[in-house]
Amino acid sequence: MSFATRKEFEDLGLHYISLCEKEVCKMTDLSKFKLSYYKFDWSARRRSSRGGWYPNKGGAGISIAMHHTCGENVTSRPKDRPFRAYEYKSFDNDPVIGGFLTTSHEHYLAMVIAHEVAHAAQYFRKYILKKSAGNPHGQIWKQIYAHLRVAIVNPLIPEQKPLELEYAKLKESITNNKKHNKIDWSKVTSDMIDWDQVQKNVYEVRFKEGKRAANKT
């Protein structure tokens, strides 16, 4: 991926970080929220993004796995082909904070940033306000994330019905080709994988990172 394309995605990332900070500040008790740290990590080895407390960086922060979110490996698909932006299985079907179909990686990036900023706000609430942060994806986090989704991300999401029909046809075509051992691998994308185990692994990594960060303070 070219430097210019990376810069374009990073500029979009900064835009959504700024919007998320402003929206979090509109919420009760979080009027002074601000990220102390952010990172756009383009390493191909980095599979999951993180939002939380970074004591060595000054406080609440986020680190976005850019290669997985909008790297060349996922943006190389045809621009008009729908793909699934997944959320965690426990709330992926939620009408407000769940996953969705889109043709734009900007929408996916906005979703990931909102998700991680909500985690960062949790830890800001815990360490700065000395109030409960709740569970990683508990009610406090969901309240913050839902606010960001409604205000910033969801208005970007295209109408789902036409995309659902197109996506279903694409998956059916791949399934039929598989039966005849004629899979067009160029049409097979990571959003078509069963993410149950992947999501479980990501959650475990985040949980361990959160505990390590908390123990350092």
Side-chain angles (χ1 to χ4, degrees), residues 194-204:
D194 183 349
W195 283 94
D196 289 2
Q197 188 59 42
V198 175
Q199 291 169 334
K200 180 177 183 294
N201 291 342
V202 169
Y203 175 84
E204 289 175 349

Side-chain angles (χ1 to χ4, degrees), residues 66-95:
M66 297 295 281
H67 177 80
H68 177 67
T69 305
C70 49
E72 192 171 12
N73 60 313
V74 291
T75 57
S76 59
R77 63 167 63 91
K79 294 186 181 300
D80 59 346
R81 180 184 297 165
F83 66 92
R84 187 80 159 76
Y86 279 95
E87 263 297 357
Y88 279 74
K89 184 181 178 182
S90 61
F91 54 90
D92 187 56
N93 292 323
D94 188 282

Side-chain angles (χ1 to χ4, degrees), residues 1 11 18 20 30 33 36 44 70 79 102 104 114 141 165 182 190 193-194 199 214 217:
M1 178 175 283
D11 286 345
S18 177
C20 285
L30 290 169
F33 172 77
S36 298
C70 49
K79 294 186 181 300
T102 183
S104 171
W141 176 83
L165 293 173
K182 294 180 180 179
S190 60
I193 297 172
D194 183 349
Q199 291 169 334
T217 60

Side-chain angles (χ1 to χ4, degrees), residues 133-156:
N135 295 325
H137 292 123
Q139 290 306 309
I140 292 175
W141 176 83
K142 286 182 177 178
Q143 182 181 9
I144 300 170
Y145 185 41
H147 178 82
L148 297 179
R149 284 289 299 265
V150 169
I152 299 170
V153 183
N154 292 358
L156 303 173

Side-chain angles (χ1 to χ4, degrees), residues 26-93:
K26 294 179 183 179
M27 303 186 71
T28 305
D29 294 338
L30 290 169
S31 61
K32 295 183 179 181
F33 172 77
K34 186 172 180 61
L35 291 177
S36 298
Y37 170 75
Y38 69 84
K39 180 180 181 181
F40 298 122
D41 190 342
W42 288 95
S43 171
R45 294 177 295 179
R46 181 72 182 279
R47 296 293 298 170
S48 63
S49 299
R50 180 182 181 273
W53 193 254
Y54 292 79
N56 296 330
K57 302 293 184 180
I62 63 172
S63 180
I64 306 300
M66 297 295 281
H67 177 80
H68 177 67
T69 305
C70 49
E72 192 171 12
N73 60 313
V74 291
T75 57
S76 59
R77 63 167 63 91
K79 294 186 181 300
D80 59 346
R81 180 184 297 165
F83 66 92
R84 187 80 159 76
Y86 279 95
E87 263 297 357
Y88 279 74
K89 184 181 178 182
S90 61
F91 54 90
D92 187 56
N93 292 323

